[in-house]
Amino acid sequence: MMDVTAIPTVPLQSDGAGIVILLVYLAIIVVSIAGMWKTFEKAGQPGWASIIPILNIYYMLKIADRDAWWLILFFIPVISLIPAIIVPIDMAKNFGKGTGFGLGLAFLPFIFYPLLGFGDANYNGHGPAGGAGAGASGTQF
């Protein structure tokens, strides 16, 4: 028969660090979602679409002035990395930001979407909120 007292036990008490980490993590998630929501609304798209998988990519393509068939590229392994970088760069450019900001959207979205959504950037693309955007004069760069 096995001695029960020889089984190591794990204490059920915590110093509270786990709860603090959980709260910080949840705060980052909420701020990220709110930033993407505001970014979509600034571009004249429905904010709620930012939290629905696949649909949010479709609206990102619209904000970036890319054709809808680019959505297919996101489902091809390895190839999906290319539009996952190009689309945020195009989104940033349509908000008057540079390539560096677009790379920030691609690699650090929890920082850069709130900056874009809550910042003073205005959407200048061809979408419904774009008004006289880059293509209004017939010239595209």
Side-chain angles (χ1 to χ4, degrees):
M1 187 123 186
M2 190 168 136
D3 184 18
V4 179
T5 58
I7 299 174
T9 60
V10 178
L12 297 177
Q13 292 180 329
S14 172
D15 60 356
I19 292 174
V20 171
I21 291 171
L22 176 67
L23 291 175
V24 169
Y25 179 67
L26 289 174
I28 290 171
I29 289 173
V30 168
V31 169
S32 298
I33 291 171
M36 187 174 265
W37 189 298
K38 289 293 290 178
T39 300
F40 275 44
E41 286 182 343
K42 275 187 175 183
Q45 306 302 332
W48 56 264
S50 66
I51 60 174
I52 299 176
I54 302 171
L55 184 63
N56 64 0
I57 297 172
Y58 171 75
Y59 281 110
M60 282 184 205
L61 290 170
K62 288 179 74 171
I63 294 169
D65 289 333
R66 292 288 176 176
D67 293 328
W69 66 266
W70 275 57
L71 186 64
I72 297 168
L73 297 176
F74 281 92
F75 294 103
I76 303 172
V78 181
I79 300 297
S80 65
L81 297 174
I82 296 167
I85 295 172
I86 292 174
V87 169
I89 291 172
D90 289 345
M91 285 178 64
K93 287 180 180 178
N94 282 342
F95 278 96
K97 302 291 185 179
T99 302
F101 198 92
L103 291 172
L105 287 173
F107 295 111
L108 296 170
F110 55 92
I111 295 173
F112 283 86
Y113 274 107
L115 286 174
L116 190 59
F118 295 110
D120 59 354
N122 293 318
Y123 181 66
N124 300 319
H126 298 103
S137 65
T139 307
Q140 291 184 354
F141 296 97

